[in-house]
Structure formats: C-alpha cells, structure tokens
Amino acid sequence: MYIRLFVLFLLTTTSTLAQPLAPREMERVFAAFAFDRPVFLTHAGDGTGRVFVVEQAGVIKVIDPGAGTVRTFLDHSNIVNSGPGEAGLLGLAFHPDYAGNGRVFLSYTWGNLVSRVAEMSVSSDPDSVDASTERLLLQLEQPAGNHNGGQIDFGPDGMLYVGFGDGGASNDRFGNGQDPTTLLATILRLDVNRQEGDLQYGIPPDNPFAGNQDGWRQEIWAWGLRNPWRFSFDRVTGDLWVGDVGQGRQEEIDLIRRGGNYGWSVQEGFECFRSSTCDSVGLEAPVLQYGRNAGVSVTGGYVYRGQRLGDLYGAYVYADFGSGHIWALRHDGTAISDSARIVRSLDNISSFGEDEAGELYVIGYGGSIYRFLPLPDEQPVTTAVDEAADVSPRAFELGQNYPNPFNPSTTIHYSLRAGGTVDLTVYDVLGRRVRTLVAGWQDTGSHRIGWSGDDDAGRPVAAGVYLYRLKTSGTAQQTRRMVLVK
C-alpha cells in the first residue's frame, strides 16, 4: 500500500493534481476504416505506434496512424466459432518482448464450444502474423455459449493473465463459481516462457495454489467470478481491475488480489444471490456495484495514464454495454474518493483499449472507435522531462522496460535502424538525471541494457516513478515511464 500511494504522490505532484471528474464529449477516430463487431484494441509495445483492432468474427486489423493505413494482421475466421453471441475472437496480447521475439497470443472459441489460448509468431511482414505457427497453450470446454470471458493480458510481472467465465447458462448452473478444481470462473496466471510437464506453459511458483494437494488448479490467480469480460493493469501501480458481468440485479467492478475469492454465486455484487442471507466470510467485496437502473452488462476499462486528458489522469474508466453510460472513479487503494458519469454513448460499448502512449479508446460494437475530447482549458499531463515533446522515433524503436514495476533490476530494449550516437538516460520525475546508461556510438540492430536502481555513483535510489529517455543522432527521442518498487 505504501508503495502505491508513494508512486501516485510522485506523479500527481509533478503533473496534474487530481481534479473533480467532469462530463466529457467523445470524437470518432479511424473513421475512414470499417470494423465488423470490434471487441478490443491494443498495441504491440514495439515503438511503432501501431494499434490493433480485434473483430469478433476472427479478424485482427492493424492501423498505422502516422501513415493513415489499415491492413489485416490476421484472418482466423475459418477457425474461430463466433456463432454464439458471446463467442468469437475475444482477446489479443503481445509478449512483453514482442519487439525481440515476435510472439502473439490469442484467446478465442472454437468448435462446439471450446475456449482456446494460443500463440503465433509474426511473419517476415511486420503487419502480418503467420497463422501456420499457431501453438495451442490450453483449451477448455464450455458447457454453454455465454460467459466465455476471453480477456488475456500480460501483467507487469511478465506473466500472462487469462479470464474465463463460469461456464454460462444462468444461476451458476454448473456449480463452477465456488469450485477451484476447474479453470472456469477464474483469472489464471501463466508463465508462457517455459513449459512444465505435460503443460504448454509453466505454473509460477508464487501462484496462490501452486503445489497444493487438494486438487485446486494451480493456474488460478483469483476465482469466484461470473464473467470477467474485460480486465486491465494500471500502468503505474500494477493494480489489476476487472469488470465482472452480473446476472439479474448487480454489475460489479473488482480490484483483483492474489488468491481472492470474488463471491459468485454466493453473492452478486455486495448482495446475497440465492437468499436474503449468506456467509460472506473470506469473500472479496467489489469496489462498487450498480443496478439495473444504470445498465445491464459492465464493460471493464482502464486507469487513464495518458497525457492528453490531464484532469482524468489516475481515474478508472468503465462503461455499460447496454445503457452506453461511461463512468470514471478515483480510488485511493482503500475506497472510492470520486465517481461520476462522464458521458453516454449511443453505441454499445464492447471494450476499451490503450495505445502505446497510454491514450484511451472507446470501442463501439457497431463498428466505431472513439476517444475523449479534452475539457476546455484542460492541461495535459507533463513532467520535467516532457514526454509530450518527444519526436516520432523513426530512427529507432524503444520498448517498455521489463519487468515493470521491478525490483531489483529491469531491462530496457531498443533497436536502431542505423548506427549513430546514442544517449540513454534515467531521470527522476523532477527531471534530475539519475543514471546515464549509454553514451556513445552504437551499431544498427537490437540492444539491451539493464538498470539495477542505482545512480551514477552506484548508490541505490528510492522507490518510485522514473523516466528513461533515448536520444539518437539528429532529433529523434522518446521517453517512457518505469516504476521501481522496494
């Protein structure tokens, strides 16, 4: 808790103090391109600035905003079963070292009806994945056509997190909600960088049920979830937020804790589900719930960590698929400090997405993609090392450090498209130089440099947010954030 609050203090005291959440307007983006039932948007973390839009039928499109082009990254529609309303190609994640290894991960439904998590590799064309390289990591039979979950995402620890619903139908018919011997109704945590026994992945040894002798699935990170349709990690704190879709009365937003049991189907939101009284001992309470007067199906979102919308910085943004309401809330790690509806969309909001800079997008299931407009006189988020002043780094690709947050060390990777003078420097959030990692000539190609949280004199630095900036010959430069925890 101390680290989380300390990090947030550093950010807000050097950028924009938290402002009351105010109503906003949205604008449509990428309007020149057509999308069929889009359900997700993400980026590759490879420094190119591209965004990837997932369509439910099994197609992924890649957009280069700078060039104004769209291409098909993958067409897997001949494999994906998108017939049931909540089935299809549902998730996409890029390996944290995608720039170096080209590994892409998918979550989709297949056959009649099986959830799959699979890996593919990018082809020689960076705008196309090679479907022939597909490797199945796991598959899970679904007893009904709804509540498939489908979100996948890499956490700041480099592990792959996977969400599955309770198996569908209604009333937790199959009894999976409170059964940790199944992968249904859970969020899983997998190590995709190794294989273990007959598994196509490893079990992280710090998973809550690793090594248990009770038959509980060791992949589980959290359980008791009805349908965790969309979840995300806060780029700064590492907190895992999820929107868990309710049944008849309540929708809920959860902060996911290691090993947490989120109560389905003992509870729906804060309320007992099957009777007027129930035993809630050992169950994790949601951050909030909302009822049928506000919506019918929650769409989890993101904590905003971009730069355009300074007053929204640090707020968690989420929506309801049915009503179109979009809300934002602030949470201090213990309780909500501010909450408001910020806009209502005429489109059904199937998802949110982030680009590489942390800017937020709203995904309309009808085919439109939006972003929020700044408020009048709203100031962008700035630091003493001004990320907004970065020049598009066509001379190089700078990746996000890994792991992030980190302790005791992290690795920064980048690639140069031509040899030249390189300056890679770490700053604190006041803009003071902490450590020069690279200063001099480097050849074309991929490079990696580690940092162990020390300054130029070799002294350990304090926990908090740091910035690393890469500058090359000429005017190209780019800055990224990283978080040191202790």
Side-chain angles (χ1 to χ4, degrees), residues 421-425 436-442:
T421 301
V422 172
D423 180 285
L424 178 61
T425 302
T436 298
L437 300 175
V438 178
W441 177 272
Q442 287 193 319

Side-chain angles (χ1 to χ4, degrees), residues 207-256:
N207 271 12
F209 305 143
N212 83 88
Q213 302 301 311
D214 299 317
W216 292 19
R217 293 302 298 258
Q218 299 179 71
E219 296 94 333
I220 293 175
W221 184 251
W223 56 302
L225 296 155
R226 184 175 181 270
N227 191 28
W229 163 238
R230 285 293 177 242
F231 61 78
S232 66
F233 291 91
D234 185 333
R235 288 183 171 214
V236 171
T237 68
D239 285 339
L240 176 53
W241 292 81
V242 62
D244 191 20
V245 180
Q247 180 165 308
R249 296 191 299 272
Q250 302 296 336
E251 306 296 307
E252 68 181 74
I253 298 292
D254 297 305
L255 263 175
I256 298 298

Side-chain angles (χ1 to χ4, degrees), residues 12-45:
T12 55
T13 54
T14 56
S15 56
T16 301
L17 294 175
Q19 301 295 319
L21 296 167
R24 291 182 175 270
E25 295 181 353
M26 298 192 301
E27 64 177 348
R28 188 177 175 187
V29 295
F30 311 133
F33 309 134
F35 303 104
D36 177 24
R37 292 184 293 158
V39 293
F40 192 50
L41 178 150
T42 190
H43 63 90

Side-chain angles (χ1 to χ4, degrees), residues 86-412:
E86 296 179 20
L89 179 56
L90 305 176
L92 169 67
F94 292 84
H95 192 278
D97 191 26
Y98 174 76
N101 61 33
R103 298 171 68 187
V104 182
F105 295 81
L106 309 174
S107 174
Y108 65 89
T109 51
W110 166 83
N112 188 35
L113 187 72
V114 175
S115 288
R116 282 181 162 183
V117 178
E119 175 185 347
M120 295 182 184
S121 297
V122 71
S123 71
S124 57
D125 177 355
D127 286 335
S128 176
V129 73
D130 184 355
S132 70
T133 64
E134 181 170 10
R135 180 175 73 90
L136 188 63
L137 271 68
L138 67 82
Q139 61 181 20
L140 179 63
E141 290 190 10
Q142 294 285 355
N146 56 347
H147 305 181
N148 298 305
Q151 175 81 22
I152 56 174
D153 197 7
F154 282 93
D157 54 7
M159 300 295 112
L160 182 67
Y161 291 72
V162 180
F164 288 124
D166 66 359
S170 60
N171 301 309
D172 193 17
R173 180 181 304 174
F174 308 103
N176 295 316
Q178 293 297 302
D179 181 4
T181 67
T182 176
L183 299 182
L184 293 166
T186 68
I187 292 178
L188 312 180
R189 180 173 179 258
L190 314 177
D191 183 351
V192 298
N193 294 318
R194 62 184 180 91
Q195 298 180 24
E196 185 175 319
D198 295 332
L199 302 175
Q200 296 300 306
Y201 50 85
I203 302 293
D206 56 341
N207 271 12
F209 305 143
N212 83 88
Q213 302 301 311
D214 299 317
W216 292 19
R217 293 302 298 258
Q218 299 179 71
E219 296 94 333
I220 293 175
W221 184 251
W223 56 302
L225 296 155
R226 184 175 181 270
N227 191 28
W229 163 238
R230 285 293 177 242
F231 61 78
S232 66
F233 291 91
D234 185 333
R235 288 183 171 214
V236 171
T237 68
D239 285 339
L240 176 53
W241 292 81
V242 62
D244 191 20
V245 180
Q247 180 165 308
R249 296 191 299 272
Q250 302 296 336
E251 306 296 307
E252 68 181 74
I253 298 292
D254 297 305
L255 263 175
I256 298 298
R257 316 292 186 189
R258 176 183 179 273
N261 177 355
Y262 288 83
W264 177 253
S265 58
V266 176
Q267 293 187 178
E268 183 183 18
F270 292 102
E271 302 177 4
C272 294
F273 177 68
R274 299 185 184 279
S275 61
S276 59
T277 60
C278 57
D279 184 1
S280 61
V281 175
L283 304 182
E284 296 282 347
V287 171
L288 65 79
Q289 69 176 23
Y290 66 86
R292 289 295 169 262
N293 60 330
V296 296
S297 182
V298 66
T299 300
Y302 290 81
V303 175
Y304 178 70
R305 296 296 183 186
Q307 293 185 331
R308 296 176 60 248
L309 313 172
D311 290 358
L312 201 59
Y313 190 86
Y316 178 71
V317 181
Y318 64 102
D320 186 87
F321 178 83
S323 68
H325 293 309
I326 301 177
W327 298 274
L329 66 85
R330 297 191 188 278
H331 194 270
D332 64 8
T334 303
I336 294 172
S337 59
D338 190 11
S339 179
R341 190 186 80 171
I342 56 175
V343 71
R344 184 175 184 180
S345 171
L346 297 179
D347 208 340
N348 297 113
I349 305 304
S350 61
S351 189
F352 292 84
E354 279 186 322
D355 64 18
E356 200 163 354
E359 296 303 334
L360 188 62
Y361 296 83
V362 182
I363 314 304
Y365 191 60
S368 299
I369 299 175
Y370 309 89
R371 67 177 183 176
F372 297 111
L373 289 169
L375 300 171
D377 302 322
E378 182 172 28
Q379 298 300 310
V381 177
T382 58
T383 62
V385 179
D386 189 359
E387 295 168 274
D390 289 349
V391 176
S392 181
R394 293 299 180 183
F396 64 84
E397 294 178 357
L398 176 64
Q400 185 66 50
N401 66 298
Y402 172 76
N404 186 45
F406 67 95
N407 180 19
S409 62
T410 190
T411 299
I412 299 168

